[in-house]
Amino acid sequence: MSDVQNQISSIVRSMAQLDHDPDPGANLISEAGIDSLMALRILASIEKSFEVRIPDDQLMEMTSVEKIAHFIESARRA
Amino acid sequence: MRVGLIAMSGVRIKSEDLSRLGVTLPGFVQRGKVIAALPSLGLLTLASIVPPEDEIEYIEVDDLKTVGDLRDDFDLVCISSFTAQVLEGYELADRYRAKGIKVALGGLHVSQMPEEAKAHADAVVIGEGETTFPRLLADCKEGQLEPYYIEQRRGSFDLASAPMPRYDLLDPDRYNRITIQTQRGCPHVCPFCASTRLFGRGFRQKPVELVIRELEAVEKIWPRPFIEFADDNTFVNKRYGKELCKALIGHRIRWFTETDISVAEDEELLDLMFQSGCEQILIGLETISDSAIHEADLHGWKARKLESYREAIERIQSHGITCNGCFVLGFDGHDASVFENVRQFALETNLLETQVTVLTPMAGTETYHKMRTEGRLYRLAPWDECTLFDVTFRPIGMTRRQLEEGLMYLFKELYNVGVYTRRKRHYMEITKKLTTRRPEGPPAGVAS
């Protein structure tokens, strides 16, 4: 797992009070059991931590640690 | 004795156009799924009254057409239903009775229409069941069911005596939101409200320690539950509300409830609500039209609050608590301009969720009696159309078609992906600015 994935997993785990890190590929809502409002708070926290802004039209695509990490890594490279 | 407790569940819409549209709109689908997935707290509570030597099964029926063969070796089947599903409940009752199984019916609708229900049941429970269900069970065992079991004084049951709901009857994997009740009744006089017909206008609260005991029972099964308080108006009494929130803080739950706009007047309460895990409150704003607000609450309380709606929503949401604003369409004071006004208000106030419904004459309500007296009901017993989304009466300020199309318009305007995304962004930006924090710590059930 990349550093970015690790950091995101840590935020998700802490905010959603999960017993373990979520599977990076798992859908945070349908598989990790996180509800939609919590998912938004997690995304807000990630935006703040990484100083990025996920475009509104991509918010609904940020469904897993892997996808969020991919977005952040791409944003950093750009 | 083998007792089947059957809840008629799920959301119903009769209008095919609206049904087709609804399933394409994320904002509508999400809340529909939540409502459909809530267990019947009433039946779980009555289950606790069934003596331990008897066998109980809790069953939910969300579509009678697809339910298949239900277990039929019960001695007694108790069916609870809201109005929109009650005809299906009657059909199911008829099926059981045809097999020689005793049937009792209860719930909001049946309590208002006991004679109608009696045609499909051996016994009808009228009012809150806690006081009458023990006698019904005993009579059933003796083979001497009475036709009606009537709560003697409506709304008099003391919630300090409330039995612990049998959460253990639920399949833990099936439910992601669990219901707990903290109060019954509401002081507001909303003529369309069916709940106050059952619970009365007296405001009764469950002692906080009892609520917490129920929560702890839930936490034994779901360690980090999302709680939906099955209340009519949780925060009428602000002192009780603060005591409740303080007691919830150690539990690491997240929760939802229904209350009125007055929560916005108490910053300390809003802080405590957020800290204790409040994610969303559903508020019956009902209407923003000066010409109709007096129809929403006969004592004028909502009319007096109308001017404060925008500021109140802003204040509540700025505390990290999202608002689900509910609007009723089709009051006599509404004309066709109401739809655009609601759309603008919902978008301008950034309500994270909105619920738009049609005025519905639920059985026994003042709205029903008024519509019936004025000869405006399309059917005298339109129960299967009392879905909150179907038009069952002749409106005054617009045509039926305008009301139906206006509801469709608001569905499209308020529940589409673009608006839904915009609301999400607004909420994310609020959470970034929050200064109040929820206490960090291990999840409930893990803390020592």
Side-chain angles (χ1 to χ4, degrees):
Chain A
M1 234 177 10
S2 69
D3 279 353
V4 172
Q5 276 193 12
N6 276 327
Q7 288 175 63
I8 292 169
S9 284
S10 169
I11 292 170
V12 172
R13 181 177 176 172
S14 158
M15 290 186 69
Q17 299 185 355
L18 301 177
D19 297 329
H20 51 77
D21 284 345
D23 179 339
N27 185 301
L28 292 173
I29 291 176
S30 62
E31 292 175 79
I34 293 168
D35 70 77
S36 58
L37 285 177
M38 174 59 78
L40 290 179
R41 280 216 304 278
I42 288 170
L43 286 177
S45 178
I46 288 168
E47 282 190 345
K48 207 170 167 182
S49 301
F50 289 93
E51 296 180 329
V52 293
R53 183 180 167 105
I54 302 164
D56 289 356
D57 60 2
Q58 291 180 41
L59 280 176
M60 288 174 93
E61 296 163 23
M62 299 294 124
T63 53
S64 68
V65 169
E66 215 165 59
K67 286 179 180 170
I68 301 167
H70 178 71
F71 169 81
I72 289 169
E73 284 161 351
S74 301
R76 281 177 166 178
R77 280 197 296 272
Chain B
M1 192 159 73
R2 285 162 297 196
V3 181
L5 300 172
I6 301 181
M8 306 306 294
S9 65
V11 175
R12 304 287 190 279
I13 303 180
K14 293 288 275 187
S15 158
E16 288 180 12
D17 288 347
L18 202 57
S19 256
R20 270 196 298 272
L21 175 65
V23 294
T24 67
L25 301 168
F28 185 76
V29 170
Q30 191 172 347
R31 183 65 190 155
K33 278 184 184 169
V34 166
I35 292 169
L38 291 172
S40 166
L41 189 60
L43 287 178
L44 295 178
T45 303
L46 293 186
S48 66
I49 296 171
V50 177
E53 66 270 20
D54 294 331
E55 188 190 328
I56 315 173
E57 185 174 1
Y58 171 78
I59 300 167
E60 283 177 22
V61 173
D62 61 3
D63 187 350
L64 202 54
K65 292 188 195 81
T66 60
V67 75
D69 287 333
L70 287 169
R71 183 179 155 185
D72 61 1
D73 59 346
F74 295 115
D75 299 298
L76 172 67
V77 164
C78 304
I79 301 173
S80 178
S81 176
F82 293 111
T83 298
Q85 302 96 331
V86 81
L87 298 185
E88 296 167 52
Y90 291 160
E91 189 183 330
L92 185 61
D94 292 342
R95 284 192 208 172
Y96 275 115
R97 294 182 84 204
K99 293 180 180 184
I101 296 168
K102 297 292 180 195
V103 172
L105 291 169
L108 276 179
H109 179 90
V110 163
S111 290
Q112 297 305 315
M113 304 295 294
E115 287 91 6
E116 172 192 279
K118 184 64 186 67
H120 307 274
D122 298 284
V124 176
V125 176
I126 303 171
E128 295 166 88
E130 285 95 338
T131 56
T132 51
F133 198 55
R135 192 160 55 82
L136 184 151
L137 289 170
D139 289 352
C140 188
K141 277 184 187 173
E142 297 294 320
Q144 294 179 332
L145 275 175
E146 291 177 14
Y148 298 105
Y149 289 83
I150 306 168
E151 182 189 19
Q152 285 308 315
R153 262 192 325 121
R154 190 63 63 92
S156 63
F157 177 68
D158 182 359
L159 291 182
S161 309
M164 170 78 74
R166 287 284 308 276
Y167 296 111
D168 59 294
L169 293 175
L170 299 175
D171 173 1
D173 295 331
R174 183 173 165 182
Y175 299 91
N176 58 12
R177 284 193 180 212
I178 307 301
T179 42
I180 292 178
Q181 192 170 54
T182 78
Q183 60 84 211
R184 289 181 191 170
C186 178
H188 303 313
V189 190
C190 308
F192 49 83
C193 178
S195 183
T196 47
R197 301 295 304 169
L198 180 69
F199 294 142
R201 294 202 175 104
F203 188 73
R204 289 169 286 154
Q205 292 160 325
K206 194 178 282 179
V208 168
E209 57 271 23
L210 194 49
V211 175
I212 297 302
R213 222 178 300 152
E214 291 181 13
L215 175 59
E216 286 167 353
V218 168
E219 287 172 332
K220 282 183 186 161
I221 304 169
W222 296 269
R224 286 181 297 275
F226 193 109
I227 300 296
E228 181 137 346
F229 286 114
D231 296 345
D232 294 314
N233 193 342
T234 304
F235 295 107
V236 168
N237 178 339
K238 306 290 183 292
R239 195 170 65 179
Y240 171 89
K242 289 174 193 175
E243 191 192 337
L244 175 67
C245 290
K246 284 175 186 169
L248 295 175
I249 284 174
H251 285 266
R252 311 283 187 262
I253 62 166
R254 282 170 300 114
W255 55 271
F256 164 100
T257 198
E258 299 184 20
T259 191
D260 65 46
I261 198 82
S262 71
V263 288
E265 295 161 12
D266 193 323
E267 296 270 352
E268 184 191 3
L269 176 61
L270 290 173
D271 276 341
L272 286 168
M273 287 166 67
F274 177 74
Q275 287 177 52
S276 61
C278 181
E279 292 285 6
Q280 186 167 92
I281 53 176
L282 183 147
I283 299 178
L285 302 171
E286 323 305 6
T287 179
I288 48 165
S289 307
D290 288 329
S291 57
I293 191 75
H294 62 280
E295 295 174 61
D297 166 22
L298 300 180
H299 282 181
W301 186 87
K302 288 182 181 175
R304 291 193 291 279
K305 298 289 176 188
L306 181 56
E307 276 196 5
S308 70
Y309 275 8
R310 285 172 189 269
E311 192 188 336
I313 292 163
E314 164 69 21
R315 191 175 306 141
I316 294 165
Q317 295 204 140
S318 71
H319 281 73
I321 298 164
T322 64
C323 266
N324 186 335
C326 299
F327 301 93
V328 177
L329 306 165
F331 286 120
D332 291 354
H334 282 162
D335 60 24
S337 67
V338 67
F339 309 110
E340 184 55 24
N341 292 341
V342 168
R343 186 191 76 86
Q344 276 183 17
F345 181 89
L347 297 182
E348 285 169 11
T349 53
N350 285 303
L351 279 165
L352 191 89
E353 306 260 6
T354 51
Q355 183 173 297
V356 285
T357 58
V358 167
L359 182 64
T360 301
M362 297 291 185
T365 61
E366 288 166 61
T367 298
Y368 178 83
H369 293 302
K370 172 182 153 67
M371 295 294 180
R372 184 171 177 161
T373 305
E374 295 174 2
R376 293 166 60 192
L377 292 173
Y378 293 127
R379 290 162 57 204
L380 285 183
W383 311 141
D384 57 336
E385 292 176 331
C386 286
T387 59
L388 301 177
F389 304 109
D390 292 284
V391 180
T392 54
F393 67 94
R394 180 170 49 79
I396 292 282
M398 64 186 103
T399 65
R400 175 183 190 167
R401 190 73 198 144
Q402 280 176 309
L403 182 50
E404 289 169 341
E405 287 178 351
L407 183 67
M408 295 265 283
Y409 167 76
L410 283 176
F411 263 50
K412 287 179 198 159
E413 291 293 316
L414 298 179
Y415 299 146
N416 68 62
V417 176
V419 168
Y420 199 52
T421 303
R422 197 183 117 179
R423 290 176 183 158
K424 282 181 168 184
R425 169 54 67 189
H426 182 73
Y427 178 63
M428 285 171 64
E429 296 309 315
I430 287 173
T431 67
K432 288 180 188 175
K433 293 177 198 155
L434 287 177
T435 51
T436 305
R437 296 283 166 207
R438 287 183 175 151
E440 295 294 328
V446 176
S448 57

PDB file of all heavy atoms in Angstrom, chain A residues 1-3 10 13 18 23-25 28-29 32 34 39 41-42 44 53 58 61 63-64 71-72 74-76 78:
ATOM      1  N   MET A   1       0.831  -1.193   0.000  1.00  0.00           N
ATOM      2  CA  MET A   1       0.000   0.000   0.000  1.00  0.00           C
ATOM      3  C   MET A   1       0.877   1.258   0.000  1.00  0.00           C
ATOM      4  O   MET A   1       1.871   1.308   0.717  1.00  0.00           O
ATOM      5  CB  MET A   1      -0.893  -0.003   1.242  1.00  0.00           C
ATOM      6  CG  MET A   1      -2.294   0.154   0.864  1.00  0.00           C
ATOM      7  SD  MET A   1      -3.641   0.123   2.063  1.00  0.00           S
ATOM      8  CE  MET A   1      -3.026   0.166   3.683  1.00  0.00           C
ATOM      9  N   SER A   2       0.510   2.265  -0.780  1.00  0.00           N
ATOM     10  CA  SER A   2       1.294   3.501  -0.831  1.00  0.00           C
ATOM     11  C   SER A   2       1.093   4.298   0.460  1.00  0.00           C
ATOM     12  O   SER A   2       0.169   4.031   1.234  1.00  0.00           O
ATOM     13  CB  SER A   2       0.830   4.347  -2.026  1.00  0.00           C
ATOM     14  OG  SER A   2      -0.481   4.828  -1.784  1.00  0.00           O
ATOM     15  N   ASP A   3       1.999   5.289   0.649  1.00  0.00           N
ATOM     16  CA  ASP A   3       1.867   6.154   1.825  1.00  0.00           C
ATOM     17  C   ASP A   3       0.510   6.859   1.851  1.00  0.00           C
ATOM     18  O   ASP A   3      -0.108   7.010   2.900  1.00  0.00           O
ATOM     19  CB  ASP A   3       2.970   7.227   1.811  1.00  0.00           C
ATOM     20  CG  ASP A   3       4.273   6.655   2.333  1.00  0.00           C
ATOM     21  OD1 ASP A   3       4.244   5.494   2.810  1.00  0.00           O
ATOM     22  OD2 ASP A   3       5.306   7.349   2.236  1.00  0.00           O
ATOM     23  N   SER A  10      -5.959   5.392   7.493  1.00  0.00           N
ATOM     24  CA  SER A  10      -5.904   5.791   8.894  1.00  0.00           C
ATOM     25  C   SER A  10      -7.023   6.789   9.222  1.00  0.00           C
ATOM     26  O   SER A  10      -7.686   6.700  10.267  1.00  0.00           O
ATOM     27  CB  SER A  10      -4.520   6.391   9.158  1.00  0.00           C
ATOM     28  OG  SER A  10      -4.508   6.999  10.385  1.00  0.00           O
ATOM     29  N   ARG A  13     -10.327   4.848   9.172  1.00  0.00           N
ATOM     30  CA  ARG A  13     -10.454   3.975  10.343  1.00  0.00           C
ATOM     31  C   ARG A  13     -10.792   4.781  11.596  1.00  0.00           C
ATOM     32  O   ARG A  13     -11.658   4.411  12.384  1.00  0.00           O
ATOM     33  CB  ARG A  13      -9.140   3.218  10.537  1.00  0.00           C
ATOM     34  CG  ARG A  13      -9.192   2.280  11.714  1.00  0.00           C
ATOM     35  CD  ARG A  13      -7.917   1.485  11.849  1.00  0.00           C
ATOM     36  NE  ARG A  13      -7.977   0.677  13.054  1.00  0.00           N
ATOM     37  CZ  ARG A  13      -7.109  -0.239  13.385  1.00  0.00           C
ATOM     38  NH1 ARG A  13      -6.081  -0.490  12.577  1.00  0.00           N
ATOM     39  NH2 ARG A  13      -7.234  -0.923  14.497  1.00  0.00           N
ATOM     40  N   LEU A  18     -13.527   2.170  12.869  1.00  0.00           N
ATOM     41  CA  LEU A  18     -13.468   0.777  12.431  1.00  0.00           C
ATOM     42  C   LEU A  18     -12.460   0.026  13.292  1.00  0.00           C
ATOM     43  O   LEU A  18     -11.508   0.606  13.809  1.00  0.00           O
ATOM     44  CB  LEU A  18     -13.051   0.698  10.956  1.00  0.00           C
ATOM     45  CG  LEU A  18     -13.949   1.427   9.949  1.00  0.00           C
ATOM     46  CD1 LEU A  18     -13.377   1.316   8.539  1.00  0.00           C
ATOM     47  CD2 LEU A  18     -15.365   0.862   9.987  1.00  0.00           C
ATOM     48  N   ASP A  23     -10.325  -2.525   3.629  1.00  0.00           N
ATOM     49  CA  ASP A  23      -9.705  -3.073   2.420  1.00  0.00           C
ATOM     50  C   ASP A  23      -9.620  -1.937   1.399  1.00  0.00           C
ATOM     51  O   ASP A  23     -10.640  -1.289   1.127  1.00  0.00           O
ATOM     52  CB  ASP A  23     -10.606  -4.216   1.920  1.00  0.00           C
ATOM     53  CG  ASP A  23     -10.074  -4.854   0.637  1.00  0.00           C
ATOM     54  OD1 ASP A  23      -9.277  -4.200  -0.063  1.00  0.00           O
ATOM     55  OD2 ASP A  23     -10.468  -5.993   0.345  1.00  0.00           O
ATOM     56  N   PRO A  24      -8.431  -1.660   0.831  1.00  0.00           N
ATOM     57  CA  PRO A  24      -8.303  -0.497  -0.063  1.00  0.00           C
ATOM     58  C   PRO A  24      -9.297  -0.495  -1.220  1.00  0.00           C
ATOM     59  O   PRO A  24      -9.743   0.554  -1.665  1.00  0.00           O
ATOM     60  CB  PRO A  24      -6.866  -0.604  -0.596  1.00  0.00           C
ATOM     61  CG  PRO A  24      -6.148  -1.471   0.369  1.00  0.00           C
ATOM     62  CD  PRO A  24      -7.155  -2.391   0.982  1.00  0.00           C
ATOM     63  N   GLY A  25      -9.653  -1.674  -1.700  1.00  0.00           N
ATOM     64  CA  GLY A  25     -10.570  -1.732  -2.844  1.00  0.00           C
ATOM     65  C   GLY A  25     -12.023  -1.781  -2.446  1.00  0.00           C
ATOM     66  O   GLY A  25     -12.912  -1.700  -3.299  1.00  0.00           O
ATOM     67  N   LEU A  28     -16.635   1.932   0.435  1.00  0.00           N
ATOM     68  CA  LEU A  28     -16.727   2.382   1.834  1.00  0.00           C
ATOM     69  C   LEU A  28     -18.156   2.293   2.366  1.00  0.00           C
ATOM     70  O   LEU A  28     -18.357   2.051   3.562  1.00  0.00           O
ATOM     71  CB  LEU A  28     -16.220   3.824   1.959  1.00  0.00           C
ATOM     72  CG  LEU A  28     -14.712   4.005   1.717  1.00  0.00           C
ATOM     73  CD1 LEU A  28     -14.343   5.482   1.702  1.00  0.00           C
ATOM     74  CD2 LEU A  28     -13.900   3.254   2.768  1.00  0.00           C
ATOM     75  N   ILE A  29     -19.129   2.493   1.501  1.00  0.00           N
ATOM     76  CA  ILE A  29     -20.515   2.469   1.977  1.00  0.00           C
ATOM     77  C   ILE A  29     -21.081   1.049   1.947  1.00  0.00           C
ATOM     78  O   ILE A  29     -21.536   0.540   2.964  1.00  0.00           O
ATOM     79  CB  ILE A  29     -21.385   3.442   1.154  1.00  0.00           C
ATOM     80  CG1 ILE A  29     -20.957   4.888   1.491  1.00  0.00           C
ATOM     81  CG2 ILE A  29     -22.871   3.247   1.463  1.00  0.00           C
ATOM     82  CD1 ILE A  29     -21.649   5.964   0.710  1.00  0.00           C
ATOM     83  N   ALA A  32     -17.733  -1.473   3.580  1.00  0.00           N
ATOM     84  CA  ALA A  32     -17.128  -1.167   4.889  1.00  0.00           C
ATOM     85  C   ALA A  32     -18.173  -0.701   5.904  1.00  0.00           C
ATOM     86  O   ALA A  32     -17.860  -0.461   7.063  1.00  0.00           O
ATOM     87  CB  ALA A  32     -16.046  -0.103   4.736  1.00  0.00           C
ATOM     88  N   ILE A  34     -19.952   2.115   6.055  1.00  0.00           N
ATOM     89  CA  ILE A  34     -19.938   3.542   6.428  1.00  0.00           C
ATOM     90  C   ILE A  34     -21.146   4.214   5.773  1.00  0.00           C
ATOM     91  O   ILE A  34     -21.420   3.977   4.596  1.00  0.00           O
ATOM     92  CB  ILE A  34     -18.619   4.181   5.952  1.00  0.00           C
ATOM     93  CG1 ILE A  34     -17.462   3.591   6.757  1.00  0.00           C
ATOM     94  CG2 ILE A  34     -18.666   5.689   6.046  1.00  0.00           C
ATOM     95  CD1 ILE A  34     -16.103   3.910   6.201  1.00  0.00           C
ATOM     96  N   ALA A  39     -19.299   9.251   5.140  1.00  0.00           N
ATOM     97  CA  ALA A  39     -18.417   9.237   3.967  1.00  0.00           C
ATOM     98  C   ALA A  39     -18.077  10.661   3.534  1.00  0.00           C
ATOM     99  O   ALA A  39     -16.933  10.958   3.175  1.00  0.00           O
ATOM    100  CB  ALA A  39     -19.082   8.473   2.830  1.00  0.00           C
ATOM    101  N   ARG A  41     -18.030  13.315   5.511  1.00  0.00           N
ATOM    102  CA  ARG A  41     -17.120  13.911   6.502  1.00  0.00           C
ATOM    103  C   ARG A  41     -15.695  13.392   6.311  1.00  0.00           C
ATOM    104  O   ARG A  41     -14.729  14.119   6.481  1.00  0.00           O
ATOM    105  CB  ARG A  41     -17.619  13.622   7.920  1.00  0.00           C
ATOM    106  CG  ARG A  41     -18.738  14.551   8.337  1.00  0.00           C
ATOM    107  CD  ARG A  41     -18.644  14.905   9.826  1.00  0.00           C
ATOM    108  NE  ARG A  41     -18.648  13.711  10.618  1.00  0.00           N
ATOM    109  CZ  ARG A  41     -19.759  13.043  10.962  1.00  0.00           C
ATOM    110  NH1 ARG A  41     -20.918  13.488  10.567  1.00  0.00           N
ATOM    111  NH2 ARG A  41     -19.688  11.967  11.686  1.00  0.00           N
ATOM    112  N   ILE A  42     -15.590  12.130   5.939  1.00  0.00           N
ATOM    113  CA  ILE A  42     -14.266  11.559   5.680  1.00  0.00           C
ATOM    114  C   ILE A  42     -13.633  12.250   4.470  1.00  0.00           C
ATOM    115  O   ILE A  42     -12.465  12.649   4.514  1.00  0.00           O
ATOM    116  CB  ILE A  42     -14.392  10.026   5.456  1.00  0.00           C
ATOM    117  CG1 ILE A  42     -14.705   9.338   6.792  1.00  0.00           C
ATOM    118  CG2 ILE A  42     -13.123   9.457   4.836  1.00  0.00           C
ATOM    119  CD1 ILE A  42     -15.095   7.870   6.669  1.00  0.00           C
ATOM    120  N   ALA A  44     -14.244  15.215   3.390  1.00  0.00           N
ATOM    121  CA  ALA A  44     -13.892  16.592   3.781  1.00  0.00           C
ATOM    122  C   ALA A  44     -12.583  16.590   4.565  1.00  0.00           C
ATOM    123  O   ALA A  44     -11.710  17.449   4.356  1.00  0.00           O
ATOM    124  CB  ALA A  44     -15.019  17.201   4.618  1.00  0.00           C
ATOM    125  N   ARG A  53      -8.869  19.584  -3.467  1.00  0.00           N
ATOM    126  CA  ARG A  53     -10.332  19.684  -3.591  1.00  0.00           C
ATOM    127  C   ARG A  53     -10.770  18.713  -4.680  1.00  0.00           C
ATOM    128  O   ARG A  53     -10.321  18.825  -5.829  1.00  0.00           O
ATOM    129  CB  ARG A  53     -10.753  21.109  -3.931  1.00  0.00           C
ATOM    130  CG  ARG A  53     -12.279  21.237  -3.994  1.00  0.00           C
ATOM    131  CD  ARG A  53     -12.697  22.654  -4.321  1.00  0.00           C
ATOM    132  NE  ARG A  53     -14.101  22.723  -4.681  1.00  0.00           N
ATOM    133  CZ  ARG A  53     -15.066  23.205  -3.890  1.00  0.00           C
ATOM    134  NH1 ARG A  53     -14.768  23.686  -2.706  1.00  0.00           N
ATOM    135  NH2 ARG A  53     -16.314  23.245  -4.318  1.00  0.00           N
ATOM    136  N   GLN A  58     -16.823  14.571  -9.304  1.00  0.00           N
ATOM    137  CA  GLN A  58     -16.126  13.301  -9.043  1.00  0.00           C
ATOM    138  C   GLN A  58     -16.388  12.781  -7.626  1.00  0.00           C
ATOM    139  O   GLN A  58     -15.910  11.713  -7.249  1.00  0.00           O
ATOM    140  CB  GLN A  58     -14.616  13.470  -9.256  1.00  0.00           C
ATOM    141  CG  GLN A  58     -14.246  13.683 -10.720  1.00  0.00           C
ATOM    142  CD  GLN A  58     -12.741  13.844 -10.900  1.00  0.00           C
ATOM    143  OE1 GLN A  58     -11.938  13.150 -10.278  1.00  0.00           O
ATOM    144  NE2 GLN A  58     -12.366  14.774 -11.753  1.00  0.00           N
ATOM    145  N   GLU A  61     -17.637   9.359  -7.200  1.00  0.00           N
ATOM    146  CA  GLU A  61     -16.730   8.283  -7.644  1.00  0.00           C
ATOM    147  C   GLU A  61     -15.730   7.914  -6.558  1.00  0.00           C
ATOM    148  O   GLU A  61     -15.016   6.921  -6.664  1.00  0.00           O
ATOM    149  CB  GLU A  61     -15.969   8.721  -8.910  1.00  0.00           C
ATOM    150  CG  GLU A  61     -16.885   8.954 -10.106  1.00  0.00           C
ATOM    151  CD  GLU A  61     -16.202   9.771 -11.194  1.00  0.00           C
ATOM    152  OE1 GLU A  61     -14.944   9.782 -11.244  1.00  0.00           O
ATOM    153  OE2 GLU A  61     -16.919  10.412 -11.974  1.00  0.00           O
ATOM    154  N   THR A  63     -15.280   6.211  -3.938  1.00  0.00           N
ATOM    155  CA  THR A  63     -15.998   5.195  -3.162  1.00  0.00           C
ATOM    156  C   THR A  63     -15.085   4.259  -2.378  1.00  0.00           C
ATOM    157  O   THR A  63     -15.573   3.474  -1.577  1.00  0.00           O
ATOM    158  CB  THR A  63     -16.883   4.352  -4.105  1.00  0.00           C
ATOM    159  OG1 THR A  63     -16.040   3.863  -5.158  1.00  0.00           O
ATOM    160  CG2 THR A  63     -18.012   5.181  -4.691  1.00  0.00           C
ATOM    161  N   SER A  64     -13.770   4.323  -2.619  1.00  0.00           N
ATOM    162  CA  SER A  64     -12.875   3.405  -1.895  1.00  0.00           C
ATOM    163  C   SER A  64     -11.561   4.119  -1.575  1.00  0.00           C
ATOM    164  O   SER A  64     -11.239   5.150  -2.177  1.00  0.00           O
ATOM    165  CB  SER A  64     -12.581   2.163  -2.732  1.00  0.00           C
ATOM    166  OG  SER A  64     -11.805   2.515  -3.860  1.00  0.00           O
ATOM    167  N   PHE A  71      -6.833   9.489  -6.873  1.00  0.00           N
ATOM    168  CA  PHE A  71      -7.141  10.878  -7.201  1.00  0.00           C
ATOM    169  C   PHE A  71      -6.078  11.813  -6.618  1.00  0.00           C
ATOM    170  O   PHE A  71      -5.579  12.705  -7.300  1.00  0.00           O
ATOM    171  CB  PHE A  71      -8.527  11.278  -6.662  1.00  0.00           C
ATOM    172  CG  PHE A  71      -8.762  12.757  -6.742  1.00  0.00           C
ATOM    173  CD1 PHE A  71      -9.159  13.347  -7.936  1.00  0.00           C
ATOM    174  CD2 PHE A  71      -8.520  13.581  -5.640  1.00  0.00           C
ATOM    175  CE1 PHE A  71      -9.325  14.722  -8.026  1.00  0.00           C
ATOM    176  CE2 PHE A  71      -8.683  14.957  -5.727  1.00  0.00           C
ATOM    177  CZ  PHE A  71      -9.091  15.530  -6.928  1.00  0.00           C
ATOM    178  N   ILE A  72      -5.729  11.585  -5.357  1.00  0.00           N
ATOM    179  CA  ILE A  72      -4.772  12.486  -4.699  1.00  0.00           C
ATOM    180  C   ILE A  72      -3.391  12.378  -5.356  1.00  0.00           C
ATOM    181  O   ILE A  72      -2.723  13.395  -5.617  1.00  0.00           O
ATOM    182  CB  ILE A  72      -4.710  12.182  -3.189  1.00  0.00           C
ATOM    183  CG1 ILE A  72      -6.029  12.643  -2.539  1.00  0.00           C
ATOM    184  CG2 ILE A  72      -3.521  12.879  -2.519  1.00  0.00           C
ATOM    185  CD1 ILE A  72      -6.233  12.198  -1.131  1.00  0.00           C
ATOM    186  N   SER A  74      -2.755  11.518  -8.408  1.00  0.00           N
ATOM    187  CA  SER A  74      -2.832  12.172  -9.729  1.00  0.00           C
ATOM    188  C   SER A  74      -2.805  13.686  -9.575  1.00  0.00           C
ATOM    189  O   SER A  74      -2.142  14.389 -10.343  1.00  0.00           O
ATOM    190  CB  SER A  74      -4.120  11.778 -10.454  1.00  0.00           C
ATOM    191  OG  SER A  74      -4.165  10.407 -10.609  1.00  0.00           O
ATOM    192  N   ALA A  75      -3.522  14.186  -8.571  1.00  0.00           N
ATOM    193  CA  ALA A  75      -3.573  15.640  -8.355  1.00  0.00           C
ATOM    194  C   ALA A  75      -2.185  16.174  -7.997  1.00  0.00           C
ATOM    195  O   ALA A  75      -1.811  17.277  -8.403  1.00  0.00           O
ATOM    196  CB  ALA A  75      -4.572  15.955  -7.248  1.00  0.00           C
ATOM    197  N   ARG A  76      -1.436  15.387  -7.245  1.00  0.00           N
ATOM    198  CA  ARG A  76      -0.097  15.833  -6.846  1.00  0.00           C
ATOM    199  C   ARG A  76       0.857  15.856  -8.039  1.00  0.00           C
ATOM    200  O   ARG A  76       1.750  16.670  -8.116  1.00  0.00           O
ATOM    201  CB  ARG A  76       0.471  14.900  -5.766  1.00  0.00           C
ATOM    202  CG  ARG A  76      -0.099  15.187  -4.402  1.00  0.00           C
ATOM    203  CD  ARG A  76       0.431  14.220  -3.402  1.00  0.00           C
ATOM    204  NE  ARG A  76       0.159  14.655  -2.046  1.00  0.00           N
ATOM    205  CZ  ARG A  76       0.490  13.971  -0.966  1.00  0.00           C
ATOM    206  NH1 ARG A  76       1.121  12.801  -1.086  1.00  0.00           N
ATOM    207  NH2 ARG A  76       0.203  14.429   0.223  1.00  0.00           N
ATOM    208  N   ALA A  78      -0.013  16.394 -11.092  1.00  0.00           N
ATOM    209  CA  ALA A  78      -0.427  17.389 -12.097  1.00  0.00           C
ATOM    210  C   ALA A  78       0.226  18.745 -11.815  1.00  0.00           C
ATOM    211  O   ALA A  78       0.509  19.104 -10.699  1.00  0.00           O
ATOM    212  CB  ALA A  78      -1.933  17.506 -12.090  1.00  0.00           C
TER     213      ALA A  78
END
